[in-house]
Coordinates of all heavy atoms in Angstrom, one line a residue:
M1 N 187.1 126.6 159.5 CA 186.0 125.7 159.8 C 184.7 126.4 159.2 O 184.6 127.6 159.0 CB 185.9 125.6 161.3 CG 184.6 124.9 161.7 SD 184.9 123.7 162.9 CE 183.3 123.0 163.1
F2 N 183.8 125.6 158.9 CA 182.5 126.0 158.3 C 181.7 126.7 159.4 O 181.4 126.2 160.5 CB 181.8 124.8 157.8 CG 180.5 125.1 157.2 CD1 180.4 125.8 156.0 CD2 179.3 124.7 157.8 CE1 179.2 126.1 155.4 CE2 178.1 125.0 157.2 CZ 178.0 125.7 156.0
Q3 N 181.3 128.0 159.1 CA 180.5 128.7 160.1 C 179.1 129.0 159.5 O 179.0 129.2 158.3 CB 181.2 130.0 160.4 CG 182.4 129.8 161.2 CD 183.0 131.2 161.7 OE1 182.6 132.2 161.2 NE2 183.9 131.1 162.6
I4 N 178.2 128.9 160.4 CA 176.8 129.2 160.0 C 176.2 130.1 161.1 O 176.4 129.9 162.2 CB 176.0 127.9 159.8 CG1 174.6 128.2 159.2 CG2 175.9 127.1 161.1 CD1 173.9 127.0 158.7
S5 N 175.4 131.1 160.6 CA 174.8 132.0 161.6 C 173.5 131.5 162.2 O 172.9 130.6 161.6 CB 174.6 133.4 160.9 OG 173.6 133.2 159.9
L6 N 173.2 132.1 163.3 CA 172.0 131.6 164.0 C 170.7 131.8 163.2 O 169.9 130.9 163.1 CB 171.8 132.4 165.3 CG 170.6 131.9 166.2 CD1 170.8 130.5 166.6 CD2 170.6 132.8 167.4
P7 N 170.5 132.9 162.4 CA 169.3 133.0 161.6 C 169.3 131.9 160.5 O 168.2 131.4 160.2 CB 169.4 134.4 161.0 CG 170.2 135.2 161.9 CD 171.2 134.2 162.5
N8 N 170.4 131.6 160.0 CA 170.4 130.5 159.0 C 170.1 129.1 159.6 O 169.4 128.3 158.9 CB 171.8 130.4 158.3 CG 172.0 131.6 157.3 OD1 171.1 132.2 156.9 ND2 173.3 131.8 156.9
I9 N 170.5 128.9 160.8 CA 170.1 127.7 161.5 C 168.6 127.6 161.7 O 168.0 126.6 161.4 CB 170.9 127.5 162.8 CG1 172.4 127.4 162.6 CG2 170.3 126.4 163.6 CD1 173.2 127.4 163.8
I10 N 168.1 128.7 162.1 CA 166.6 128.8 162.4 C 165.8 128.6 161.1 O 164.9 127.8 161.0 CB 166.2 130.1 163.0 CG1 166.8 130.2 164.4 CG2 164.7 130.3 163.1 CD1 166.7 131.5 165.1
V11 N 166.3 129.2 160.0 CA 165.6 129.1 158.7 C 165.7 127.6 158.2 O 164.7 127.0 157.8 CB 166.2 130.0 157.7 CG1 165.7 129.7 156.3 CG2 165.8 131.5 158.0
A12 N 166.9 127.0 158.4 CA 167.0 125.6 158.0 C 166.2 124.7 158.8 O 165.5 123.8 158.3 CB 168.5 125.2 158.1
Y13 N 166.1 124.9 160.1 CA 165.3 124.1 161.0 C 163.8 124.3 160.6 O 163.1 123.2 160.5 CB 165.5 124.6 162.4 CG 164.6 123.9 163.4 CD1 164.8 122.6 163.8 CD2 163.5 124.6 163.9 CE1 163.9 122.0 164.7 CE2 162.6 124.0 164.8 CZ 162.8 122.7 165.2 OH 162.0 122.1 166.1
L14 N 163.3 125.5 160.3 CA 161.9 125.7 159.9 C 161.7 125.0 158.6 O 160.6 124.4 158.4 CB 161.6 127.2 159.9 CG 161.5 127.9 161.2 CD1 161.3 129.4 161.0 CD2 160.4 127.3 162.0
F15 N 162.6 125.1 157.7 CA 162.4 124.5 156.3 C 162.3 123.0 156.5 O 161.4 122.4 155.9 CB 163.6 124.9 155.4 CG 163.5 124.3 154.1 CD1 162.6 124.9 153.1 CD2 164.2 123.2 153.7 CE1 162.5 124.4 151.9 CE2 164.1 122.7 152.4 CZ 163.2 123.3 151.5
V16 N 163.2 122.4 157.2 CA 163.1 120.9 157.4 C 161.9 120.5 158.1 O 161.2 119.5 157.7 CB 164.4 120.5 158.2 CG1 164.2 119.0 158.6 CG2 165.6 120.7 157.3
T17 N 161.5 121.3 159.1 CA 160.2 120.9 159.8 C 159.0 121.0 158.9 O 158.2 120.1 158.9 CB 160.0 121.9 161.0 OG1 161.2 121.8 161.9 CG2 158.8 121.5 161.8
L18 N 158.9 122.1 158.1 CA 157.8 122.2 157.2 C 157.9 121.1 156.1 O 156.8 120.6 155.7 CB 157.8 123.6 156.5 CG 157.4 124.8 157.5 CD1 157.5 126.1 156.8 CD2 156.0 124.6 158.0
A19 N 159.0 120.8 155.6 CA 159.1 119.7 154.6 C 158.7 118.4 155.2 O 157.9 117.7 154.5 CB 160.6 119.6 154.1
V20 N 159.0 118.1 156.4 CA 158.6 116.8 157.1 C 157.0 116.9 157.2 O 156.3 115.9 156.9 CB 159.3 116.6 158.4 CG1 158.6 115.5 159.2 CG2 160.7 116.3 158.2
L21 N 156.5 118.0 157.7 CA 155.0 118.1 157.9 C 154.3 118.0 156.6 O 153.3 117.3 156.5 CB 154.7 119.4 158.6 CG 155.1 119.5 160.1 CD1 154.8 120.9 160.6 CD2 154.4 118.4 160.9
F22 N 154.9 118.6 155.5 CA 154.2 118.5 154.2 C 154.3 117.0 153.7 O 153.3 116.6 153.2 CB 155.0 119.4 153.2 CG 154.4 119.4 151.9 CD1 153.2 120.0 151.6 CD2 155.0 118.8 150.8 CE1 152.6 120.0 150.4 CE2 154.5 118.8 149.5 CZ 153.3 119.4 149.3
G23 N 155.4 116.4 153.9 CA 155.5 115.0 153.5 C 154.5 114.1 154.3 O 153.8 113.2 153.7
I24 N 154.3 114.3 155.6 CA 153.3 113.5 156.4 C 151.9 113.8 155.9 O 151.1 112.9 155.7 CB 153.5 113.9 157.9 CG1 154.8 113.3 158.4 CG2 152.3 113.3 158.7 CD1 155.1 113.8 159.8
W25 N 151.6 115.1 155.6 CA 150.3 115.5 155.1 C 150.0 114.8 153.8 O 148.9 114.3 153.6 CB 150.2 117.0 155.0 CG 148.9 117.5 154.5 CD1 147.7 117.3 155.0 CD2 148.8 118.3 153.3 NE1 146.8 117.9 154.2 CE2 147.4 118.5 153.1 CE3 149.7 118.8 152.3 CZ2 146.9 119.3 152.1 CZ3 149.1 119.5 151.3 CH2 147.8 119.7 151.1
V26 N 150.9 114.9 152.8 CA 150.7 114.3 151.5 C 150.6 112.8 151.6 O 149.7 112.2 151.0 CB 151.9 114.7 150.6 CG1 151.9 113.8 149.3 CG2 151.8 116.1 150.2
G27 N 151.4 112.1 152.5 CA 151.3 110.7 152.7 C 150.0 110.3 153.3 O 149.4 109.3 152.8
T28 N 149.5 110.9 154.3 CA 148.2 110.5 154.9 C 147.1 110.8 154.0 O 146.1 110.0 153.9 CB 148.0 111.3 156.2 OG1 148.1 112.7 156.0 CG2 149.0 110.8 157.3
D29 N 147.1 111.9 153.2 CA 146.0 112.2 152.2 C 146.0 111.1 151.1 O 144.9 110.7 150.7 CB 146.2 113.6 151.6 CG 145.0 114.1 150.9 OD1 143.9 114.1 151.5 OD2 145.2 114.4 149.7
W30 N 147.2 110.7 150.7 CA 147.2 109.7 149.6 C 146.7 108.4 150.2 O 145.9 107.7 149.5 CB 148.7 109.5 149.2 CG 148.9 108.4 148.2 CD1 148.6 108.5 146.8 CD2 149.5 107.2 148.4 NE1 148.9 107.3 146.2 CE2 149.4 106.5 147.2 CE3 150.0 106.5 149.5 CZ2 149.9 105.2 147.0 CZ3 150.5 105.2 149.4 CH2 150.4 104.6 148.1
K31 N 147.0 108.0 151.4 CA 146.5 106.8 152.0 C 145.0 106.9 152.2 O 144.3 105.9 151.9 CB 147.1 106.5 153.4 CG 148.5 105.9 153.4 CD 148.9 105.7 154.8 CE 150.3 105.2 154.9 NZ 150.8 105.0 156.3
R32 N 144.5 108.0 152.6 CA 143.0 108.2 152.8 C 142.3 108.1 151.5 O 141.3 107.4 151.4 CB 142.7 109.5 153.4 CG 141.3 109.8 153.7 CD 141.0 111.2 154.2 NE 141.5 112.2 153.2 CZ 140.8 112.6 152.2 NH1 139.6 112.1 151.9 NH2 141.3 113.5 151.3
K33 N 142.8 108.7 150.4 CA 142.2 108.6 149.1 C 142.2 107.1 148.6 O 141.2 106.7 148.0 CB 142.8 109.5 148.1 CG 142.5 110.9 148.3 CD 143.1 111.8 147.3 CE 142.7 113.3 147.6 NZ 143.4 114.2 146.6
R34 N 143.3 106.4 148.8 CA 143.4 105.0 148.3 C 142.4 104.2 149.1 O 141.8 103.3 148.5 CB 144.8 104.6 148.5 CG 145.2 103.3 147.7 CD 146.6 102.9 147.8 NE 146.7 102.3 149.1 CZ 147.8 101.7 149.6 NH1 148.9 101.8 148.9 NH2 147.9 101.1 150.7
R35 N 142.3 104.4 150.4 CA 141.4 103.6 151.2 C 139.9 103.9 150.8 O 139.1 103.0 150.7 CB 141.6 103.9 152.7 CG 140.8 103.1 153.6 CD 141.1 103.4 155.1 NE 140.9 104.8 155.4 CZ 141.9 105.6 155.9 NH1 143.0 105.0 156.2 NH2 141.7 106.8 156.2
E36 N 139.6 105.1 150.5 CA 138.2 105.5 150.1 C 137.9 104.9 148.7 O 136.8 104.4 148.5 CB 138.0 107.0 150.0 CG 137.9 107.6 151.4 CD 137.7 109.1 151.3 OE1 137.7 109.7 150.2 OE2 137.7 109.7 152.4
K37 N 138.9 104.9 147.8 CA 138.7 104.3 146.5 C 138.4 102.8 146.6 O 137.6 102.3 145.9 CB 139.9 104.6 145.6 CG 139.8 104.2 144.2 CD 141.0 104.6 143.4 CE 140.9 104.1 142.0 NZ 142.1 104.4 141.2
R38 N 139.2 102.2 147.4 CA 139.0 100.7 147.6 C 137.7 100.4 148.2 O 137.0 99.5 147.8 CB 140.2 100.2 148.5 CG 140.3 98.7 148.5 CD 141.4 98.1 149.4 NE 142.5 99.0 149.5 CZ 143.1 99.3 150.7 NH1 142.7 98.8 151.8 NH2 144.2 100.1 150.7
H39 N 137.2 101.3 149.2 CA 136.0 101.1 149.8 C 134.8 101.3 148.8 O 133.8 100.6 148.8 CB 135.9 102.0 151.0 CG 134.6 101.8 151.8 ND1 134.4 100.7 152.6 CD2 133.5 102.6 152.0 CE1 133.2 100.8 153.2 NE2 132.7 101.9 152.8
R40 N 135.0 102.4 148.0 CA 133.9 102.7 147.0 C 133.7 101.7 146.0 O 132.7 101.6 145.3 CB 134.3 104.0 146.3 CG 133.5 105.2 146.8 CD 133.6 106.4 145.9 NE 134.8 106.5 145.2 CZ 135.8 107.4 145.6 NH1 135.7 108.1 146.6 NH2 136.9 107.5 144.9
R41 N 134.7 100.8 145.7 CA 134.6 99.8 144.7 C 133.4 98.8 145.0 O 132.8 98.3 144.1 CB 135.9 99.0 144.6 CG 136.0 98.1 143.4 CD 137.2 97.3 143.3 NE 138.4 97.9 143.9 CZ 139.5 97.3 144.2 NH1 139.6 96.0 144.0 NH2 140.5 97.9 144.8
F42 N 133.1 98.6 146.3 CA 132.1 97.7 146.7 C 130.8 98.3 147.0 O 129.9 97.7 147.4 CB 132.6 96.8 147.8 CG 133.8 96.1 147.5 CD1 135.0 96.4 148.1 CD2 133.8 95.0 146.7 CE1 136.2 95.7 147.9 CE2 135.0 94.3 146.4 CZ 136.2 94.7 147.0
R43 N 130.7 99.7 146.9 CA 129.5 100.4 147.3 C 128.6 100.5 146.1 O 129.1 100.8 145.0 CB 129.8 101.8 147.8 CG 130.7 101.8 149.0 CD 130.0 101.4 150.3 NE 128.9 102.3 150.5 CZ 127.9 102.1 151.4 NH1 128.0 101.0 152.2 NH2 127.0 103.0 151.6
L44 N 127.3 100.3 146.3 CA 126.3 100.4 145.2 C 125.2 101.2 145.8 O 124.9 101.2 147.0 CB 125.8 99.1 144.8 CG 126.8 98.2 144.0 CD1 127.1 96.9 144.8 CD2 126.3 97.9 142.7
V45 N 124.4 101.9 144.9 CA 123.2 102.5 145.2 C 122.1 102.0 144.3 O 122.3 101.9 143.1 CB 123.3 104.1 145.0 CG1 122.0 104.7 145.3 CG2 124.4 104.6 145.9
C46 N 121.1 101.5 145.0 CA 120.0 100.9 144.2 C 119.3 101.9 143.3 O 119.0 103.0 143.7 CB 119.0 100.3 145.1 SG 117.6 99.5 144.3
N47 N 119.1 101.5 142.0 CA 118.4 102.4 141.1 C 116.9 102.5 141.3 O 116.3 103.5 140.9 CB 118.7 101.9 139.6 CG 120.1 102.0 139.2 OD1 120.8 102.9 139.7 ND2 120.6 101.1 138.4
I48 N 116.4 101.6 142.0 CA 114.9 101.6 142.2 C 114.6 102.3 143.5 O 113.8 103.2 143.6 CB 114.4 100.1 142.2 CG1 114.7 99.4 140.9 CG2 112.9 100.1 142.5 CD1 114.2 100.1 139.7
C49 N 115.2 101.8 144.7 CA 114.8 102.4 146.0 C 115.8 103.3 146.5 O 115.5 104.0 147.5 CB 114.5 101.2 147.0 SG 116.0 100.3 147.4
G50 N 116.9 103.4 145.9 CA 117.9 104.4 146.3 C 118.7 104.1 147.6 O 119.4 104.9 148.1
V51 N 118.6 102.9 148.1 CA 119.3 102.4 149.3 C 120.8 102.2 148.9 O 121.1 101.4 148.0 CB 118.7 101.2 149.9 CG1 119.5 100.6 151.0 CG2 117.3 101.5 150.4
P52 N 121.7 102.8 149.6 CA 123.1 102.4 149.4 C 123.4 101.2 150.2 O 123.0 100.9 151.3 CB 123.9 103.6 150.0 CG 122.9 104.2 151.0 CD 121.5 103.9 150.5
Y53 N 124.2 100.3 149.5 CA 124.6 99.0 150.2 C 125.9 98.6 149.7 O 126.5 99.2 148.7 CB 123.5 97.9 149.9 CG 123.3 97.5 148.5 CD1 123.9 96.4 148.0 CD2 122.5 98.3 147.7 CE1 123.7 96.0 146.7 CE2 122.3 97.9 146.3 CZ 122.9 96.8 145.9 OH 122.7 96.4 144.6
E54 N 126.5 97.6 150.3 CA 127.8 97.1 150.0 C 127.7 95.7 149.6 O 127.0 94.9 150.2 CB 128.7 97.2 151.3 CG 130.1 97.0 151.0 CD 131.0 97.3 152.2 OE1 130.8 98.4 152.8 OE2 131.8 96.5 152.6
D55 N 128.4 95.4 148.5 CA 128.4 94.0 148.0 C 129.8 93.6 147.6 O 130.4 94.2 146.7 CB 127.5 93.9 146.8 CG 127.4 92.4 146.3 OD1 126.5 91.7 146.8 OD2 128.2 92.1 145.4
R56 N 130.4 92.7 148.3 CA 131.8 92.3 148.1 C 131.9 91.0 147.2 O 133.0 90.5 147.0 CB 132.5 92.1 149.4 CG 132.6 93.4 150.2 CD 133.6 93.2 151.3 NE 133.8 94.5 152.0 CZ 134.8 95.3 151.7 NH1 135.7 95.0 150.9 NH2 134.9 96.5 152.4
S57 N 130.8 90.6 146.7 CA 130.8 89.4 145.8 C 131.3 89.8 144.4 O 131.5 91.0 144.1 CB 129.4 88.8 145.6 OG 128.6 89.7 144.9
R58 N 131.6 88.9 143.6 CA 132.1 89.2 142.2 C 131.0 89.2 141.2 O 131.3 89.3 140.0 CB 133.2 88.1 141.8 CG 134.4 88.2 142.6 CD 135.5 87.4 142.0 NE 136.8 87.6 142.7 CZ 137.7 88.4 142.3 NH1 137.6 89.0 141.2 NH2 138.8 88.6 143.0
D59 N 129.8 89.2 141.7 CA 128.6 89.2 140.8 C 128.6 90.6 140.1 O 128.6 91.6 140.8 CB 127.4 89.0 141.7 CG 126.1 88.9 140.8 OD1 126.3 88.8 139.6 OD2 125.0 88.7 141.4
P60 N 128.6 90.6 138.8 CA 128.6 91.9 138.1 C 127.3 92.7 138.2 O 127.3 93.9 138.1 CB 128.8 91.5 136.6 CG 128.4 90.1 136.5 CD 128.6 89.5 137.8
I61 N 126.2 92.0 138.5 CA 124.9 92.6 138.7 C 124.3 92.1 140.1 O 123.4 91.3 140.1 CB 123.9 92.4 137.6 CG1 124.6 92.7 136.2 CG2 122.7 93.2 137.7 CD1 123.8 92.3 135.0
P62 N 124.8 92.7 141.2 CA 124.3 92.2 142.5 C 122.9 92.7 142.8 O 122.5 93.8 142.4 CB 125.3 92.8 143.5 CG 125.9 93.9 142.8 CD 125.8 93.7 141.3
P63 N 122.1 91.9 143.5 CA 120.7 92.3 143.9 C 120.7 93.2 145.1 O 121.6 93.1 145.9 CB 120.0 91.0 144.2 CG 121.1 90.1 144.6 CD 122.4 90.5 143.9
C64 N 119.8 94.1 145.1 CA 119.6 95.0 146.2 C 119.1 94.2 147.4 O 118.1 93.4 147.3 CB 118.6 96.1 145.8 SG 118.1 97.2 147.2
P65 N 119.6 94.4 148.6 CA 119.1 93.7 149.8 C 117.7 94.2 150.2 O 117.0 93.5 151.0 CB 120.1 93.9 150.9 CG 120.8 95.2 150.5 CD 120.7 95.2 149.0
N66 N 117.3 95.4 149.8 CA 116.1 95.9 150.2 C 114.9 95.5 149.3 O 113.9 95.1 149.8 CB 116.2 97.5 150.3 CG 115.0 98.1 151.0 OD1 114.4 97.5 151.9 ND2 114.7 99.3 150.5
C67 N 115.1 95.7 148.0 CA 114.0 95.4 147.1 C 114.3 94.3 146.1 O 113.5 94.0 145.2 CB 113.6 96.7 146.3 SG 114.9 97.3 145.2
A68 N 115.5 93.7 146.1 CA 115.9 92.6 145.3 C 116.1 93.0 143.8 O 116.2 92.2 142.9 CB 115.0 91.4 145.4
A69 N 116.1 94.3 143.5 CA 116.3 94.8 142.1 C 117.8 94.6 141.8 O 118.7 94.7 142.6 CB 116.0 96.2 142.0
L70 N 118.0 94.2 140.5 CA 119.4 94.0 140.1 C 120.0 95.3 139.7 O 119.4 96.1 138.9 CB 119.4 93.0 138.9 CG 118.9 91.6 139.2 CD1 118.9 90.7 138.0 CD2 119.8 90.9 140.3
N71 N 121.2 95.6 140.2 CA 121.9 96.9 139.9 C 123.2 96.6 139.3 O 124.0 95.8 139.8 CB 122.0 97.7 141.2 CG 120.7 98.1 141.8 OD1 120.0 98.9 141.2 ND2 120.4 97.5 142.9
E72 N 123.5 97.3 138.3 CA 124.8 97.2 137.6 C 125.9 98.0 138.4 O 125.6 99.1 138.9 CB 124.7 97.8 136.2 CG 125.9 97.5 135.3 CD 125.6 98.0 133.9 OE1 124.5 98.3 133.6 OE2 126.6 97.9 133.1
R73 N 127.1 97.5 138.4 CA 128.1 98.2 139.1 C 128.6 99.4 138.3 O 129.0 99.3 137.2 CB 129.3 97.3 139.4 CG 129.1 96.2 140.4 CD 130.4 95.4 140.6 NE 130.1 94.2 141.4 CZ 130.0 94.2 142.7 NH1 130.3 95.3 143.4 NH2 129.8 93.1 143.3
V74 N 128.5 100.5 138.9 CA 129.1 101.8 138.3 C 129.9 102.4 139.3 O 129.7 102.3 140.5 CB 127.9 102.7 137.8 CG1 127.2 102.2 136.7 CG2 127.0 103.1 139.0
S75 N 131.0 103.0 138.9 CA 131.9 103.7 139.8 C 131.3 104.9 140.4 O 130.8 105.8 139.6 CB 133.2 104.0 139.2 OG 133.0 104.9 138.1
L76 N 131.3 105.0 141.7 CA 130.8 106.2 142.4 C 132.0 107.2 142.4 O 133.1 106.9 142.7 CB 130.4 105.9 143.8 CG 129.2 104.9 143.9 CD1 129.0 104.6 145.4 CD2 128.0 105.5 143.3
R77 N 131.7 108.5 142.1 CA 132.7 109.5 142.1 C 132.6 110.4 143.3 O 131.6 110.5 144.0 CB 132.6 110.3 140.8 CG 132.8 109.5 139.6 CD 132.8 110.3 138.3 NE 133.1 109.4 137.2 CZ 132.7 109.7 136.0 NH1 132.0 110.8 135.8 NH2 133.0 108.9 135.0
D78 N 133.7 111.1 143.5 CA 133.7 112.1 144.5 C 132.7 113.2 144.2 O 132.5 113.6 143.0 CB 135.1 112.8 144.7 CG 136.1 111.8 145.2 OD1 135.6 110.9 145.9 OD2 137.3 112.0 144.9
L79 N 132.1 113.8 145.2 CA 131.2 115.0 145.0 C 132.0 116.2 144.9 O 133.1 116.4 145.4 CB 130.2 115.1 146.1 CG 129.3 113.9 146.2 CD1 128.4 114.1 147.5 CD2 128.4 113.8 145.0
Ligands
LIG101 ZN1 116.6 98.5 146.1

């Protein structure tokens, strides 16, 4: 019969546990980045008054709600 020692069982248990935790961590981080990227697509910062705002219309040059200046959509990057 196949025999395995107690230290090997403990090592295998720890390895599987760490692999599962690493998978959960990578999965949640990927979801968070995807959600932020989707959210950033609609975020704009006015070039005139600097107010950040959200515009979900398909207008390529949406007006600022604060000063009505037209702002071109540019992708906001991570800092
Ligand atoms: Zn503005």
Side-chain angles (χ1 to χ4, degrees):
M1 172 132 183
F2 180 70
Q3 289 188 346
I4 187 165
S5 64
L6 183 61
N8 286 344
I9 292 173
I10 292 172
V11 168
Y13 174 76
L14 289 176
F15 180 77
V16 169
T17 303
L18 287 177
V20 168
L21 289 176
F22 182 72
I24 290 171
W25 176 60
V26 167
T28 53
D29 192 55
W30 179 73
K31 280 183 185 176
R32 182 185 57 82
K33 284 181 180 177
R34 199 176 77 177
R35 185 175 55 237
E36 286 179 2
K37 186 177 178 183
R38 194 180 328 135
H39 184 71
R40 257 196 326 260
R41 191 181 332 161
F42 302 109
R43 299 286 299 169
L44 292 116
V45 177
C46 180
N47 291 328
I48 303 300
C49 64
V51 170
Y53 63 99
E54 189 170 313
D55 184 85
R56 293 192 176 266
S57 68
R58 293 191 173 260
D59 189 3
I61 306 174
C64 171
N66 191 34
C67 66
L70 296 176
N71 295 292
E72 191 173 351
R73 289 185 191 274
V74 292
S75 62
L76 298 175
R77 294 187 180 154
D78 291 334
L79 295 176

